[in-house]
């Protein structure tokens, strides 16, 4: 049976359509989920897509974290549901305390939209099982507040527990602590990623197809559970 | 602002009838004495404060096109026959049939004056305004572009204006989820104090989704939805956009609107859902002149009347007067006409998107626009007198006194590079000038990936977006303008701008279909400027007829001058083309070593207005390159066929800086060098800016087929060499490594603007 992957649309979500296309290309069935409704429609995994939820006027992800659907998503994620937060979705996961740390203003103080190279540091999560550890992939970074920060002890813990999922290589584009591009929770089912794998699923419209395996991971995850 | 507000009482229609002698501040609102008299004649009495507010904004240059309208008719009168247009000039934006049941709409518009006064918000709301124009046609906005022009890159004011403008576009466009797929960036002293910020938006719809801005059906409800109305942007169209700067600009800051892209994003999704549900009889965006414009145009276009209760309008500032509410240019607002039975469903969709919506009036059969304020009538006019019957001026036009001297001072006396080393230095000088330096500092602040349909974006010649995933149907877009060419010859210059945009679209392998334009000029009250304007419009209309591409809409921006000094006449032309399959679109970079490099077209000694003359010698004089429209058309046809047949790897248009700059750009973008031999005078071949030329990399094995295609199409083709190697090597002249080229090209804008 085809895996059903929920994609949450908040007011201001922008990459929900791209995430749905990526799920389809990876062989899954995307299920639109609306921020204002309760219940997860029995999906096998959830993606929080990129964008500017609620305009990011307070703090990125700070308001989305209180959307009705989050009341169901947070316990489900704690219980093991695979969840991938991309860009603004990563920020929401941090605000919801499903992941530690926070995303802050880029060190260059400007929005950055460019292709970046990222090294997969943990290929054991629900979303990165399709990669080899140490594999370098080309993804798209596009954010104004993408600099990952956390307390030194938290960073040490992330590192020692292998919870840094991806790091920037060939330069740190936004001043992220320890060049972190993505992290996961203890169980490895919740992943936050600043660069966009959904914009790297087809050489026609992106830098290549390196990002597709993230979605294949999400599509396969329920079988592994 | 409003005399009545100051007095604490509202000026009613009844009061106006019995106090004909009351002095009114028409001049402060930008109306001439003659225009004020005309209003009194039309009404048969003095206008109320609210009526005066409506006429002042609707009859402003910005809204009424009073100085340009008589000339813009040429775009319709000379339009080539086409069956691709579903809607043309007069609508918010033209609509072009691109096949498979899809239509696209696109338009470019200026936000020059607000962007100078407050660069960030001015540029941001420029994006917001053009996006709502497209939305009002029933289309989903799918991409934006920006054509930007500033004073000298090193000038202190440019350091204030440029980062603000780019930041504003980045902030607003990125937050809307619209890919920014290209545009322009130019610097010239003539734009000091008058930057040009021209924003283009592209939208797509199914044929059946086309909406017109009309208010039909007596009894239908008039709904205002989106943001609340505040005291921002009051008189923006009349005070800011329709007058020259002369100091005291900070006092005009309240005339600049403030943007909320999050509300605009919600408004887009809400409007599209309302449209899909068939809940709107008519739809209009609120841009310049706000509620005044929306109500009078909706009513005038339908030939109906409208009754509006102004006190129902949700306000962000409850102390606003009725006249201020009518004139406010608060952003992110739309007005719809809705059948009474559909109102509750309409409201439910707005609620779902958290978009405030309010019924503010009804369509009537009176033929009048009637506005009340707490039960008192403050407006009673025939809507067409405001919307369509503004003054039309045949302003005097005269060839500028210095024009002959300018044309007589050609570039032939300028010192030319004579040796290989000098040619090499010239190339590096051009590449490292802000005018031609790498634009990544700007374009990397724009999201070009969102929506997942962008096939090509900057720095490619044209932006290409896919419309239909299965067939690969897509469109290509490019904007171009060249103020220097236009200063030398506004008729030819406008044609050269069109030719370049047309060529850029062709370089992507697309078939050019339609044109939009943004005509940026100085004061129409200066006969020299008026001459430039008429020459440009005439040149553009003539060239559109010859190339077979109709103008589908556009915008005029006058008064781009500080004191007596006007900008160069700068018509910016956008061309839209169609690609049956975007998988065959051609990039502008060299990536495959061994591919043959072929120069298409023929090169003459044409240096008037060139990048070389400007950058190396600071010279502007003589004549611009010859316009060769038949050659442009032949070139575009060859490119379209070659792209479709897969004969080419890449194509890059030749324009500013000629072949030398084109070679360097295509090599740097693709990370490959090239080896070329020049069959003639190296300086002319490398730096002349003759039109109708293109540099292509031929797919290995297709050389014969491509040569045959060029010959059949009557396009001269000269093989220059091959792609590959560590840099650009010009046989017998010079070589330069990619590293050195990159260093010269890429560090310029960051060094200027990253501070």
């Amino acid at each position: 049976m085809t895996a059903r992957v929920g994609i949450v649309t908040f007011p201001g979500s922008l990459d929900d359509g791209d995430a749905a296309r990526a799920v389809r290309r990876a062989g899954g069935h995307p299920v639109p989920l609306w921020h204002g409704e309760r219940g997860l429609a029995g999906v096998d995994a959830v993606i929080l897509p990129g964008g500017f939820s609620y305009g990011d006027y307070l703090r990125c992800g700070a308001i989305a974290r209180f959307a009705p659907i989050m009341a169901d998503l947070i316990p489900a994620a704690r219980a093991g549901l695979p969840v991938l937060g991309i860009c603004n979705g990563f920020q929401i996961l941090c605000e919801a305390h499903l992941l530690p740390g926070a995303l802050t203003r880029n060190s260059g103080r400007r929005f950055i939209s460019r292709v970046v190279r990222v090294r997969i540091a943990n290929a054991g999560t629900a979303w990165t099982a399709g990669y080899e550890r140490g594999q370098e992939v080309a993804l798209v970074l596009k954010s104004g507040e993408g600099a990952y920060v956390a307390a030194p002890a938290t960073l040490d813990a992330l590192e020692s527990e292998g919870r840094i999922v991806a790091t920037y290589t060939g330069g740190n584009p936004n001043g992220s602590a320890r060049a972190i591009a993505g992290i996961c929770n203890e169980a490895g089912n919740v992943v936050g990623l600043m660069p966009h794998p959904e914009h790297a699923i087809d050489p026609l419209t992106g830098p290549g197809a390196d990002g597709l395996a993230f979605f294949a991971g999400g599509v396969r995850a329920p079988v592994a559970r | 602002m409003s005399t009545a507000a100051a007095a604490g009482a509202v000026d009613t229609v009844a009061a106006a009838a019995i106090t004909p002698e009351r002095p009114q501040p028409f001049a402060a609102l930008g109306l001439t004495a003659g225009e004020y008299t005309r209003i009194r004649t039309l009404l048969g009495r003095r206008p109320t404060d609210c009526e005066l507010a409506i006429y002042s904004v609707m009859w402003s240059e910005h809204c009424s096109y009073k100085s340009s309208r008589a000339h813009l008719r040429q775009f319709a009168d000379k339009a080539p026959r086409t069956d691709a247009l579903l809607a043309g000039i007069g609508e918010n934006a033209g609509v072009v049939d691109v096949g498979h049941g899809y239509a696209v709409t696109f338009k470019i518009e200026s936000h020059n004056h607000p962007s100078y006064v407050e660069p960030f918000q001015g540029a941001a709301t420029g994006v917001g305004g053009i996006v709502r124009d497209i939305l009002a046609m029933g289309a989903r906005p799918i991409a934006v572009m920006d054509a930007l022009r500033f004073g000298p890159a090193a000038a202190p004011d440019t350091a204030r204006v440029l980062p603000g403008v780019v930041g504003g576009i980045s902030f607003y466009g990125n937050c809307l989820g619209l890919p920014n797929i290209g545009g322009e960036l130019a610097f010239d002293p003539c734009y000091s104090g008058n930057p040009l910020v021209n924003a283009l938006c592209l939208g797509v719809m199914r044929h059946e989704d086309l909406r017109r801005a009309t208010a039909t059906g007596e009894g239908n409800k008039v709904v205002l939805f989106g943001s609340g109305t505040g005291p921002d942007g009051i008189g923006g169209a009349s005070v800011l956009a329709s007058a020259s700067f002369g100091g005291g600009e900070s006092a005009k800051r309240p005339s600049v609107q403030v943007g909320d892209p999050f509300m605009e994003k919600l408004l887009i999704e809400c409007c599209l859902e309302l449209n899909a549900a068939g809940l709107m009889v008519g739809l209009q965006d609120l841009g310049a002149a706000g509620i005044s414009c929306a109500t009078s145009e909706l009513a005038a276009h339908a030939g109906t009347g409208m009754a509006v209760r102004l006190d129902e309008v949700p306000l962000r500032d409850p102390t606003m007067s009725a006249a201020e509410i009518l004139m406010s240019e608060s952003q992110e607002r739309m007005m719809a006409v809705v059948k009474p039975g559909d109102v509750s469903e309409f409201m439910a969709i707005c609620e779902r998107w958290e978009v405030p919506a309010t019924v503010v009036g009804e369509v009537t059969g009176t033929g009048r626009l009637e506005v009340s304020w707490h039960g008192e009538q403050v407006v009673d006019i025939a809507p067409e007198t405001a919307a369509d019957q503004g003054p039309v001026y045949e302003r005097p036009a005269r060839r500028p006194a210095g024009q002959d001297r300018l044309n007589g001072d050609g570039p032939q006396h300028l010192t030319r590079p004579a040796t290989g080393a000098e040619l090499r230095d010239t190339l590096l000088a051009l590449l490292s000038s802000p005018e031609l330096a790498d634009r990544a500092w700007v374009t990397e602040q724009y999201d070009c990936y969102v929506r997942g349909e962008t096939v090509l974006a900057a720095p490619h010649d044209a932006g290409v977006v896919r419309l239909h995933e299965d067939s690969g149907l897509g469109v290509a877009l490019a904007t171009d303008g060249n103020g220097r060419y236009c200063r030398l010859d506004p008729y030819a210059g406008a044609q050269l701008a069109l030719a370049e945009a047309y060529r850029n679209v062709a370089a992507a392998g697309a078939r050019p279909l339609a044109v939009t334009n943004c005509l940026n000029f100085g004061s129409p009250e200066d006969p020299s400027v008026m001459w430039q304007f008429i020459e440009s419009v005439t040149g553009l209309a003539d060239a559109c007829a010859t190339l077979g591409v109709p103008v589908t809409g556009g915008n005029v921006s006058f008064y781009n001058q500080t004191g007596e000094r006007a900008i160069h006449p700068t018509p910016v032309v956008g061309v839209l083309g169609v690609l049956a399959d975007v998988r065959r679109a051609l990039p502008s970079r060299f990536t495959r070593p061994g591919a043959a490099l072929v120069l298409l077209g023929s090169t003459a000694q044409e240096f008037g207005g060139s990048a070389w003359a400007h950058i190396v010698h600071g010279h502007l004089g003589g004549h611009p390159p010859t316009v060769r429209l038949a050659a442009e058309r032949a070139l575009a046809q060859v490119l379209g066929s070659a792209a479709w047949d897969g004969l080419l790897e890449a194509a890059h248009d030749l324009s500013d800086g000629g072949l030398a700059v084109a070679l360097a750009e295509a090599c740097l973008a693709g990370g490959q060098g090239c080896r070329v031999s020049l069959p003639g005078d190296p300086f002319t071949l490398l730096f002349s800016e003759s039109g109708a030329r293109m540099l292509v990399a031929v797919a290995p094995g297709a050389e014969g087929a491509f040569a045959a295609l060029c010959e059949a199409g009557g396009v001269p083709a000269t093989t220059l060499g091959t792609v590959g190697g560590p840099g650009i090597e010009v046989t017998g002249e010079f070589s330069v490594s990619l590293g050195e080229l990159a260093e010269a090209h890429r560090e310029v804008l960051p060094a200027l603007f990253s501070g």
Side-chain angles (χ1 to χ4, degrees):
Chain A
M1 208 180 101
T2 313
R4 300 171 74 245
V5 180
I7 295 164
V8 181
T9 299
F10 296 95
S13 290
L14 303 178
D15 300 316
D16 39 351
D18 296 72
R21 179 188 282 123
V23 167
R24 268 197 307 275
R25 291 272 179 102
H29 177 69
V31 177
L33 297 176
W34 183 247
H35 70 102
E37 286 165 13
R38 295 292 303 261
L40 298 176
V43 295
D44 302 305
V46 167
I47 295 173
L48 303 182
F52 292 74
S53 59
Y54 300 93
D56 281 350
Y57 287 149
L58 175 55
R59 200 170 59 240
C60 299
I63 301 177
R65 171 249 178 286
F66 293 105
I69 198 165
M70 294 301 288
D72 294 309
L73 182 66
I74 292 170
R78 294 222 161 96
L81 181 77
V83 177
L84 173 64
I86 305 168
C87 196
N88 195 225
F90 186 6
Q91 293 160 340
I92 295 168
L93 291 175
C94 290
E95 288 289 338
H97 303 298
L98 286 169
L99 292 174
L103 282 310
T104 59
R105 192 93 187 127
N106 293 344
S107 53
R109 303 194 308 281
R110 282 182 300 279
F111 192 94
I112 296 173
S113 170
R114 75 166 81 120
V115 175
V116 290
R117 294 199 67 80
V118 164
R119 181 182 293 121
I120 304 296
N122 179 346
T125 77
W127 300 90
T128 53
Y131 295 97
E132 301 288 328
R133 184 160 184 267
Q135 186 177 344
E136 279 194 22
V137 296
L139 304 178
V140 171
L141 183 68
K142 39 166 229 184
S143 43
E145 300 185 26
Y148 182 75
V149 295
T154 306
L155 294 169
D156 290 342
L158 286 173
E159 208 157 6
S160 65
E161 293 165 20
R163 288 167 55 198
I164 296 175
V165 174
T167 55
Y168 300 107
T169 66
N172 185 339
N174 50 21
S176 285
R178 304 190 192 182
I180 287 173
I183 58 170
C184 65
N185 64 351
E186 289 89 341
N189 63 307
V190 177
V191 170
L193 197 61
M194 209 57 216
H196 294 254
E198 81 280 20
H199 293 321
I201 60 164
D202 184 345
L204 184 69
T205 52
D210 287 355
L212 199 56
F214 274 96
F215 303 94
V219 165
R220 266 197 313 272
V223 185
R225 252 194 304 153
Chain B
M1 174 60 58
S2 153
T3 50
V10 66
D11 184 28
T12 62
V13 171
I18 55 171
T19 55
E21 301 314 321
R22 213 190 79 182
Q24 294 191 282
F26 63 85
L29 292 171
L31 288 164
T32 67
E35 288 164 352
Y36 177 66
T37 305
R38 180 137 178 264
I39 294 166
R40 293 187 70 123
T41 308
L42 280 168
L43 294 175
R45 59 173 164 78
R46 75 161 174 87
T48 65
D49 287 345
C50 285
E51 290 165 342
L52 188 65
I54 291 176
Y55 284 108
S56 75
V57 286
M58 292 304 291
W59 285 12
S60 68
E61 186 66 58
H62 187 80
C63 291
S64 74
Y65 293 86
K66 57 190 169 191
S67 302
S68 57
R69 198 189 286 196
H71 307 286
L72 297 177
R73 287 195 188 107
Q74 293 187 69
F75 292 137
D77 294 347
K78 295 178 180 173
R81 288 175 57 86
T82 173
D83 47 14
L85 277 194
L86 301 179
I89 290 179
E91 299 293 334
N92 282 323
V95 179
V96 185
D97 180 13
V98 290
H100 288 272
Y102 286 94
V104 294
T105 178
F106 73 127
K107 190 179 176 190
I108 187 166
E109 203 167 72
S110 62
H111 230 222
N112 303 339
H113 291 80
S115 300
Y116 178 66
V117 175
E118 212 296 83
F120 187 94
Q121 290 295 346
T125 54
V127 176
I130 193 67
V131 166
R132 284 192 303 281
D133 259 13
I134 296 305
L135 189 57
M137 301 300 291
R140 172 177 276 286
I142 57 167
V144 293
M145 281 183 139
D146 298 278
L148 308 177
R149 287 172 169 77
F150 300 97
D157 200 49
T158 304
R160 170 186 74 96
V161 177
L162 184 147
V165 165
V166 172
I169 291 168
S170 164
F171 159 74
Y172 204 102
N174 293 349
C175 195
L176 285 188
L178 295 177
N180 191 310
I181 59 171
E184 297 171 272
L185 173 61
F187 299 97
D188 193 285
C190 75
Y191 305 114
S192 291
N194 283 283
L196 302 186
V197 175
N198 296 174
L200 181 150
C201 183
L202 168 71
V204 65
M205 69 183 96
R206 302 293 297 171
H207 286 186
E208 58 272 21
D209 291 332
L210 178 59
R211 286 291 170 275
R212 302 293 173 95
T214 62
T216 52
E218 200 175 326
N220 282 343
K221 300 293 179 186
V222 177
V223 185
L224 183 64
F225 60 120
S227 290
T229 298
D232 50 334
I234 289 174
S238 49
V239 179
L240 258 193
S242 302
S244 303
F245 286 138
E249 268 65 51
S250 66
K252 289 179 177 168
R253 201 161 289 145
S255 303
V256 180
Q257 317 86 328
V258 177
D260 176 357
F262 173 58
M263 175 54 84
E264 179 113 332
K265 167 67 179 168
L266 300 184
L267 203 51
I268 291 172
E269 300 304 330
C270 180
C271 264
L272 291 169
E273 195 169 322
L274 291 167
N275 205 15
L279 297 174
M280 297 187 288
V281 177
L283 178 65
Q284 168 104 33
D285 59 304
L286 272 70
I291 293 175
S292 296
C293 183
T295 52
S296 58
E297 286 193 354
L298 278 168
H301 293 173
T304 55
M306 190 184 283
V308 176
R309 294 175 298 281
L310 214 49
D311 40 289
E312 302 278 355
V313 172
L315 299 180
R316 297 209 304 267
D317 172 0
T319 67
M320 288 176 75
S321 72
E324 287 170 331
I325 295 167
L326 283 166
M327 292 169 79
S328 164
E329 294 185 5
S330 286
Q331 298 290 290
E332 293 93 25
R333 299 179 298 163
M334 302 284 285
M335 186 171 276
V337 177
V338 183
K339 289 181 187 156
D342 288 339
V343 169
S344 62
E345 204 181 331
F346 184 100
M347 295 298 178
I349 289 177
C350 289
E351 201 165 312
R352 174 176 145 82
W353 286 104
E354 300 176 24
V355 170
T358 312
V359 173
V360 297
E362 286 84 31
V363 176
T364 64
T366 61
R368 309 289 292 178
L369 174 62
E370 297 165 287
V371 178
S372 66
W373 175 248
H374 296 291
E376 303 215 67
Q377 189 168 33
V378 292
V379 173
D380 180 12
I381 64 170
E384 63 275 11
T385 60
D388 304 323
Q389 294 169 9
V392 174
Y393 295 132
E394 290 270 6
R395 303 237 188 230
R398 193 171 53 245
R399 187 178 164 87
Q403 193 72 27
D404 289 337
R405 189 160 26 89
L406 184 70
N407 293 139
D409 173 30
Q412 54 279 358
H413 66 276
L414 302 175
T415 308
R416 300 179 174 194
T419 65
E422 287 173 0
L423 289 167
R424 185 181 192 279
D425 288 347
T426 303
L427 171 58
L428 288 170
L430 295 191
L431 279 184
S432 62
S433 71
E435 285 81 356
L436 294 174
D438 186 37
R439 268 65 183 123
W441 187 89
V442 171
T443 55
E444 283 192 349
Q445 296 186 51
Y446 304 151
D447 180 357
C448 67
Y449 299 99
V450 64
R451 294 184 52 76
E453 309 284 10
T454 306
V455 176
L456 296 176
H460 295 282
D461 284 359
V464 171
V465 290
R466 182 175 59 190
L467 301 177
H468 186 233
E469 196 164 340
D470 293 340
S471 66
L473 175 72
V475 294
L477 262 175
T479 74
D480 283 292
N482 188 319
R484 292 193 304 270
Y485 290 170
C486 292
R487 178 70 183 85
L488 297 179
D489 183 342
Y491 180 92
Q495 297 194 327
L496 289 165
L498 170 68
E500 188 180 344
Y502 178 93
R503 200 159 64 235
N504 277 325
V505 162
R511 181 163 57 91
L513 270 188
V515 173
T516 185
N517 59 64
C518 191
L519 306 173
N520 305 281
F521 288 79
S523 166
E525 295 160 41
D526 176 346
S528 299
V529 170
M530 210 53 217
W531 175 80
Q532 293 172 331
F533 179 76
I534 295 168
E535 287 288 305
S536 288
V537 168
T538 308
L540 189 55
D542 289 348
C544 284
T546 306
L547 289 176
V549 283
V551 172
T552 63
N555 161 253
V556 178
S557 174
F558 278 131
Y559 297 100
N560 293 288
Q561 68 179 64
T562 304
E564 293 298 300
R565 207 173 59 87
I567 60 163
H568 289 335
T570 313
V572 171
V573 181
V575 171
L576 177 134
V578 66
L579 283 139
D581 185 351
V582 293
R583 285 164 289 205
R584 297 173 194 235
L586 296 174
S588 315
R589 61 177 172 221
F590 302 151
T591 49
R592 168 107 60 124
L597 280 181
V598 175
L599 173 64
L600 302 179
S602 47
T603 308
Q605 287 204 27
E606 297 188 279
F607 293 100
S610 68
W612 168 74
H614 173 67
I615 293 165
V616 176
H617 295 284
H619 177 267
L620 177 62
H623 295 276
T626 308
V627 178
R628 295 187 290 183
L629 297 176
E632 300 283 2
R633 201 165 181 163
L635 182 63
Q637 275 161 2
V638 162
L639 257 290
S641 300
W644 183 256
D645 292 341
L647 306 181
L648 298 178
E649 296 269 324
H652 190 20
D653 142 74
L654 266 57
S655 55
D656 296 39
L659 174 65
V661 168
L663 278 170
E665 287 172 344
C667 285
L668 283 171
Q672 288 290 333
C674 67
R675 294 184 187 85
V676 297
S677 302
L678 300 174
D681 172 48
F683 172 69
T684 302
L685 278 164
L686 285 171
F687 296 105
S688 166
E689 296 184 4
S690 295
R693 294 185 306 156
M694 199 145 359
L695 177 66
V696 297
V698 184
E703 295 84 357
F706 181 65
L709 184 67
C710 291
E711 181 154 2
V715 172
T718 312
T719 301
L720 298 177
T722 53
V723 174
I728 295 180
E729 191 181 319
V730 183
T731 308
E733 300 295 340
F734 67 88
S735 64
V736 54
S737 73
L738 284 180
E740 192 175 351
L741 288 170
E743 199 180 328
H745 199 44
R746 290 182 180 154
E747 298 306 318
V748 184
L749 296 190
L752 282 163
F753 300 114
S754 276

